[in-house]
Amino acid sequence: GALQRQRGGGRMTLLSDALGITLDGIERKYEGEDTGAFDTGIVRLDEILGGIQPGTLWIACARSGVGKTAFALCIAAHVALALGLPVLIHSMEMTIIEIVKRIMASELRVDGRSLRSGKISERDWERISTGMARLADAPLWIDDDNTATVASIRANINEINQLVGTPPALVIVDYVQLMDGGSGNRQQDLADISRGLKVLAGKPIPGDDNARTAILALSQLKRDVDDRPDKRPMLKDLRETGALEQDADGVLGIYREDVYKRGTDKEGMAEISVLKARSGPTGTIECAYISNYTKYANLGHVAEAWIGLQGEP
């Protein structure tokens, strides 16, 4: 509108102009047009979330060893492979080779341990040879620079935008506590990183006012969680990481009972809790977690067979 003036980050917009823009978006959604939101591939979770919107910052949190990276990689692979949208994975903990092996295990249903050891069965070789072309076509970029900063992630987003004409639909950051803040004060660094990621998600890509990315940043939870009887993540577990909870548009907690209890009847099951959603409901869903494929999957007869609730698929 005539009263829109570009400033450093935001814009001043007259309400009548803003109403027009808002109504356009509502109408597009009503008519089923593409608003840029994408699903995660975990059906029950998508029913709560209604898709991940561009321009939003999501935090997925869990204790160490519960499967945060596996969760993020399953969503990343779904967005890149099933939806064909560009995805950028920033890993400060695992190398590119390790991540590729994880994606091969979960997407091709190849035992992750045999990929690491090299002792690969004939059936797995078959799955690798038939599935590699599908993986090779995925618009998925991986950066394993362990000193990643908000600025280096922004540079990668802009580079992908120039390469394919659209920014990544999803950026995975694994994980925020490993990011380089630069000030030396951990609390201050995390607050700056959190704010930086929020701004990065919300800011239009240069040259296209409508193109934004969604960021899924993983967060480690403090050890205190292990000291209480119920070890499911709660919002207050993020509060030590100060700004993350406030800056995030949504927070997901990941919990697997079989990490803590041997012989539980929840073996091979995971709980994903929507602990916060700025524009939607909260709630908890169950899905399957197939440990030898490090894969989160929808509950159904195939997944139930994988986790041993019935015969081998």
Side-chain angles (χ1 to χ4, degrees):
L3 283 181
Q4 270 196 3
R5 274 196 285 280
Q6 190 72 44
R7 293 202 316 277
R11 314 180 136 182
M12 185 171 78
T13 307
L14 186 65
L15 176 61
S16 63
D17 294 334
L19 282 170
I21 295 163
T22 307
L23 270 174
D24 284 349
I26 293 169
E27 278 171 10
R28 282 208 308 276
K29 269 194 171 170
Y30 174 73
E31 286 158 11
E33 276 183 50
D34 182 22
T35 56
F38 56 85
D39 61 19
T40 66
I42 300 168
V43 173
R44 288 181 181 174
L45 182 60
D46 292 324
E47 284 167 2
I48 298 181
L49 298 181
I52 303 275
Q53 294 286 348
T56 55
L57 170 63
W58 286 79
I59 305 292
C61 59
R63 277 294 289 128
S64 186
V66 168
K68 289 188 297 297
T69 302
F71 175 73
L73 292 182
C74 282
I75 294 175
H78 171 77
V79 174
L81 287 161
L83 307 179
L85 299 170
V87 173
L88 167 63
I89 296 168
H90 260 275
S91 172
M92 285 137 269
E93 192 171 40
M94 295 169 87
T95 65
I96 288 177
I97 305 266
E98 287 169 325
I99 285 174
V100 171
K101 283 180 181 172
R102 282 284 192 100
I103 292 171
M104 285 172 69
S106 71
E107 290 307 305
L108 307 180
R109 301 208 323 274
V110 175
D111 193 298
R113 288 163 301 200
S114 53
L115 285 176
R116 289 191 294 276
S117 69
K119 298 186 175 117
I120 297 168
S121 70
E122 212 160 297
R123 186 178 76 162
D124 280 350
W125 270 126
E126 218 168 276
R127 286 177 171 172
I128 290 168
S129 59
T130 54
M132 281 309 261
R134 187 170 68 92
L135 291 190
D137 283 344
L140 193 144
W141 286 261
I142 306 163
D143 188 330
D144 62 358
D145 174 10
N146 61 8
T147 60
T149 61
V150 172
S152 68
I153 296 173
R154 182 187 295 115
N156 280 350
I157 290 172
N158 290 340
E159 194 174 327
I160 291 170
N161 186 44
Q162 283 167 353
L163 282 169
V164 297
T166 173
L170 176 66
V171 176
I172 304 282
V173 177
D174 185 14
Y175 55 96
V176 283
Q177 283 82 0
L178 294 176
M179 278 183 74
D180 199 354
S183 82
N185 173 335
R186 215 52 212 123
Q187 285 302 102
Q188 188 55 50
D189 276 355
L190 280 169
D192 291 347
I193 287 163
S194 168
R195 191 80 206 118
L197 290 173
K198 173 67 182 156
V199 169
L200 187 55
K203 225 177 190 173
I205 302 300
D208 185 345
D209 280 359
N210 297 313
R212 285 173 172 77
T213 190
I215 296 178
L216 175 62
L218 308 187
S219 176
Q220 191 76 283
L221 293 179
K222 293 279 168 99
R223 287 195 183 88
D224 314 1
V225 177
D226 292 344
D227 299 334
R228 62 179 187 235
D230 186 350
K231 296 170 175 51
R232 288 169 174 83
M234 297 191 277
L235 260 190
K236 71 182 179 78
D237 300 325
L238 264 188
R239 286 188 190 140
E240 287 118 341
T241 319
L244 276 179
E245 182 209 350
Q246 280 90 1
D247 288 333
D249 295 286
V251 178
L252 304 173
I254 306 164
Y255 172 75
R256 283 175 35 227
E257 193 150 299
D258 58 11
V259 171
Y260 295 100
K261 286 184 192 163
R262 278 233 167 109
T264 168
D265 58 359
K266 298 280 188 190
E267 191 75 45
M269 302 279 273
E271 280 179 29
I272 314 294
S273 295
V274 182
L275 301 172
K276 171 186 175 177
R278 213 184 286 278
S279 54
T282 56
T284 297
I285 63 106
E286 280 191 329
C287 61
Y289 178 74
I290 304 106
S291 58
N292 55 334
Y293 302 149
T294 56
K295 183 177 181 68
Y296 286 80
N298 294 307
L299 284 175
H301 65 282
V302 177
E304 285 167 13
W306 284 340
I307 61 177
L309 296 179
Q310 45 176 279
E312 178 67 18

